[in-house]
Amino acid sequence: MRADALRNRERLVEVAQSAFANNGIETSLEEIARQAGVGIGTLYRRFPRREDLIAAVLAERYLKLTECALTLAQHREDADTALTQWLTLLVEHMAIYRGLSLAVKEAIHDQSTALGRTCKEMMDAATALLERGQSQGTFRTDVNFYDVMSLCSGIVTAVERRAEKRADSDVPPVDPYLLLDVVLKGLRSGVVGGGAGG
Amino acid sequence: MRADALRNRERLVEVAQSAFANNGIETSLEEIARQAGVGIGTLYRRFPRREDLIAAVLAERYLKLTECALTLAQHREDADTALTQWLTLLVEHMAIYRGLSLAVKEAIHDQSTALGRTCKEMMDAATALLERGQSQGTFRTDVNFYDVMSLCSGIVTAVERRAEKRADSDVPPVDPYLLLDVVLKGLRSGVVGGGAGG
DNA sequence: CGCTAAACGGAGTTAGCCTCCGCTTTTTGC
DNA sequence: GCAAAAAGCGGAGGCTAACTCCGTTTAGCG
């Protein structure tokens, strides 16, 4: 890769990072290119899809989450605590850019996108946490990790929306940790078999 | 309202209904106007925002959900069963148009939109179901109805995404009833105080 | 220095949202 | 019935943002 290309790439990721943080993940790509001082063509050559840019921005963060999951899996202690800790991190991570939780949910099953592939590794590592708990009888066995991710993504989306409307009316604040607690409580095995028939 | 205006209005709602069902809620408004045989200006005069059209399409359905909530609230029997039944209906309802769950989540706090106002009545009726259960000790008292709606919306979003990608890879199907069961289980009081610290 | 592949960048195309306003149809008053 | 007025129609046009294409520029190498 040529030196100027590398420089531009880095600059784009840098600008995108702060643009996503300020304006959400839907920030105009032309705006990002302008701020980075490159042409729109340059941005598209390097990041053909918006997700590719998102994936680049998130790369380190995902790596950290993956490592964290691996570490938690190795310390073969309390499976409940392990999953709780990791999901807490995940929820905090997904709340960083407005719109991110949805983008992740979109990409989660799609190995053809950079975001999807990056996600995959992390998912694999974290899946182990759930499955360990399941084999120990800590968590109910009829849910898979996609289900858990989906619920967490729902939590983050709720927080995002609520934050946007905060100026409005009498909207109460939402506590992601509370919602996560509800989900985790629902995941624990206890007396299995709730009531929602299907 | 003039007769021709009423006719056009009905035609638009009719076309929008099937367009939303086939292409999701983000279908181009110009496409809807074209199919209805009216100009784009006519559509916008009657439905200034996309949400107004959505609200019109959903009006009857919301009314049914509201009535259902009221009925369930009056039969002062099992609060758990009541909420379970209603949320099951809700989830089924929100899965009808791709993107609807998000639109509802967007509008839920915004009384300035038609969708928000229609939602409000339904929410008020359903909130009673949760609160009855809470005062009876059936459900944990630290969550409000917005929280429950948010989690349900997350479930539906997951189902929508999964359905879109079904052609892909080895994606397992998702069961909304299962996820709803997880949420409901998490809502039941039992020994309150899970583990997700904040 | 000079050559070449790589990279650049922005003009141009497409698509959808939304507004504005001259024209048409319905309704109303007589 | 008929004409005036009110209501409604519809699409041209402005706008923004995604995305493509290709002539121009430049880094890197010998």
Side-chain angles (χ1 to χ4, degrees):
Chain A
M1 191 183 229
R2 247 167 64 170
D4 54 344
L6 191 63
R7 222 180 308 129
N8 280 334
R9 199 202 121 97
E10 277 168 4
R11 184 123 186 72
L12 276 169
V13 172
E14 213 170 283
V15 168
Q17 141 78 35
S18 73
F20 289 163
N22 295 331
N23 303 102
I25 221 162
E26 294 299 333
T27 309
S28 148
L29 294 180
E30 307 200 321
E31 176 63 25
I32 289 172
R34 202 176 314 127
Q35 281 185 33
V38 306
I40 186 66
T42 300
L43 187 155
Y44 270 93
R45 190 171 335 97
R46 208 57 64 191
F47 306 101
R49 299 153 169 244
R50 179 181 291 272
E51 297 157 349
D52 298 325
L53 186 52
I54 297 171
V57 168
L58 295 178
E60 287 174 40
R61 213 177 277 273
Y62 271 128
L63 207 62
K64 283 225 179 82
L65 277 167
T66 307
E67 280 169 12
C68 176
L70 292 173
T71 308
L72 285 167
Q74 275 185 338
H75 297 318
R76 314 208 133 253
E77 298 162 37
D78 182 8
D80 195 322
T81 308
L83 189 64
T84 300
Q85 281 186 7
W86 193 83
L87 288 183
T88 303
L89 273 183
L90 177 73
V91 166
E92 286 168 353
H93 155 78
M94 287 208 293
I96 289 169
Y97 308 122
R98 183 157 28 91
L100 177 58
S101 59
L102 273 180
V104 169
K105 194 182 274 184
E106 284 278 357
I108 230 170
H109 298 298
D110 198 342
Q111 297 298 304
S112 71
T113 69
L115 189 53
R117 280 188 298 272
T118 324
C119 240
K120 181 73 164 60
E121 291 170 30
M122 185 187 74
M123 293 275 293
D124 287 344
T127 300
L129 295 180
L130 175 67
E131 290 179 352
R132 179 153 66 93
Q134 286 176 326
S135 68
Q136 287 177 7
T138 309
F139 300 121
R140 53 193 289 178
T141 54
D142 51 358
V143 299
N144 60 44
F145 197 71
Y146 287 129
D147 297 329
V148 178
M149 283 286 285
S150 297
L151 289 170
C152 289
S153 169
I155 292 173
V156 177
T157 313
V159 177
E160 287 172 359
R161 299 286 177 248
R162 205 77 68 94
E164 279 174 39
K165 310 263 170 171
R166 216 179 323 151
D168 278 31
S169 61
D170 53 355
V171 178
V174 72
D175 179 0
Y177 301 108
L178 173 62
L179 293 187
L180 184 54
D181 187 50
V182 169
V183 169
L184 279 162
K185 192 155 162 295
L187 286 177
R188 292 187 189 110
S189 44
V191 181
V192 177
Chain B
M1 192 184 226
R2 249 167 61 170
D4 55 342
L6 191 64
R7 222 179 308 132
N8 279 334
R9 200 202 121 96
E10 277 168 5
R11 184 123 186 73
L12 277 168
V13 172
E14 212 171 283
V15 168
Q17 140 77 36
S18 75
F20 289 162
N22 295 331
N23 303 103
I25 220 161
E26 295 298 334
T27 309
S28 151
L29 294 180
E30 306 201 324
E31 176 62 25
I32 290 173
R34 203 175 314 126
Q35 281 186 33
V38 306
I40 186 68
T42 300
L43 189 156
Y44 270 93
R45 192 172 333 98
R46 208 57 64 191
F47 306 102
R49 300 154 169 243
R50 179 182 291 272
E51 297 156 349
D52 298 325
L53 186 53
I54 298 171
V57 168
L58 295 179
E60 286 173 40
R61 215 177 274 273
Y62 270 128
L63 207 62
K64 283 226 179 81
L65 277 167
T66 306
E67 280 167 13
C68 175
L70 292 173
T71 307
L72 285 167
Q74 276 185 339
H75 298 318
R76 313 206 132 255
E77 298 160 38
D78 183 8
D80 195 321
T81 308
L83 189 64
T84 301
Q85 282 187 6
W86 193 83
L87 288 182
T88 304
L89 272 184
L90 177 73
V91 166
E92 286 168 354
H93 155 78
M94 288 208 292
I96 289 170
Y97 308 122
R98 182 156 31 90
L100 177 59
S101 59
L102 273 180
V104 169
K105 194 183 273 183
E106 285 277 359
I108 231 169
H109 298 299
D110 199 342
Q111 297 298 306
S112 71
T113 69
L115 188 54
R117 280 189 298 272
T118 324
C119 241
K120 181 73 164 58
E121 291 170 29
M122 184 187 75
M123 293 275 291
D124 287 344
T127 300
L129 295 180
L130 175 67
E131 290 179 352
R132 179 153 67 93
Q134 286 177 325
S135 68
Q136 288 177 8
T138 310
F139 301 121
R140 54 193 290 178
T141 54
D142 51 358
V143 300
N144 60 44
F145 196 71
Y146 287 129
D147 297 329
V148 178
M149 284 285 285
S150 297
L151 289 170
C152 289
S153 168
I155 292 173
V156 177
T157 313
V159 177
E160 289 171 359
R161 299 288 177 247
R162 204 77 67 93
E164 280 174 38
K165 310 266 170 169
R166 217 177 323 153
D168 277 31
S169 60
D170 53 355
V171 178
V174 72
D175 179 1
Y177 302 108
L178 174 62
L179 293 187
L180 185 54
D181 188 49
V182 170
V183 169
L184 279 161
K185 192 155 163 298
L187 288 177
R188 293 188 188 109
S189 45
V191 182
V192 178

